[in-house]
Amino acid sequence: MSYVGPDFDPPQPRRPRRRLTWIAAALVPGVLLGWLVYEGVGASANGNGSDTAAVGTPTVSSTSDDSTEDDKKPSPTPTASGSGSLKGKVVVIDPGHNPTNFQHTAEINRKVNIGTNWKECDTTGTSTNSGYAEAKFTLDVAHRLRTLLEKQGATVKLTQDGDRTYGPCVDERARIGNKAHADAVVSIHADGAGADQRGFHVILPGSVHKGAADTRKIVAPSAELGERIAGNFVRATGSAPSNYIGDGTGLVTRTDLGGLNLSTVPKVFIECGNMRDSKDAALLTSGAWRQKAAQGVSEGIVSFLRG
Ligand SMILES: [Zn+2]
């Protein structure tokens, strides 16, 4: 999610930048064209169900995964060609939050230095109205993404794999990518915005240079990575770019996220959809859709790494 918690403050007001204008000019036709083509051919990735079964305080452990047989089916989206072509490339996947963060509030509320500011170590993340936790979603997509990238020959590392009781903290999440000398890092999330706010967006690092934060060298390659992920995400999932942030581009630049500020390697976040919207939630809780989401992110990364 991107609206609650220390690493997910509301985005700063947009500041016009020439580079962003260029990005938007370069990306919008591609993203929107892909989306329109998808819509035009009548394919529908939208689930028909709703996620309105329960209203009230969601829990992160009350709802089991909806993994079904279709989880095992390969995505209809064609995979990038070439086996082993990413040999020697390192990709770090950062599954946002942690399924048991909520049991460790003292630890995750501890402040860490993100260069430009001090922020809490980590947050619990959001969930659908029926209780499917963002942290569970992020880990599932990360596993699918790891499988796809490893098939392409990449070396893949996760910042957490359900193997620790909380966190890691946002500064450590960044350091894991840095120490791995990752060629690309993607942090997987789903948003917690309002009902009827739909679609995905990719978050790019803005230029910051303060304290331990210096993103100046990763701004351009991260934008490239993010554009490629956004374009491929549209194609693989049929989802439209966010209708509530990013002016329809599916891209948002932020300077308040520790996970981006402290990165020294190309890195983006992706908010795959809005867990609080019933239509998006129907997608996010579908194993078949999560496979498409992983496929889209994978193809974006592969495209970026092949240059
Ligand atoms: Zn999140």
Side-chain angles (χ1 to χ4, degrees), residues 1-2 8 96-97 125 134 189-190 271:
M1 65 188 298
S2 66
F8 299 94
H97 317 282
E134 180 189 0
H189 291 262
E271 299 278 1

Side-chain angles (χ1 to χ4, degrees), residues 23 26 40 65 122 133 140 157 164 178 195 234 250 273 280 299 306:
I23 290 169
D65 197 344
D122 204 5
D140 179 83
K157 183 177 176 59
R164 48 192 298 165
N178 299 344
V234 166
D280 269 11
E299 289 172 9
R306 286 182 177 160

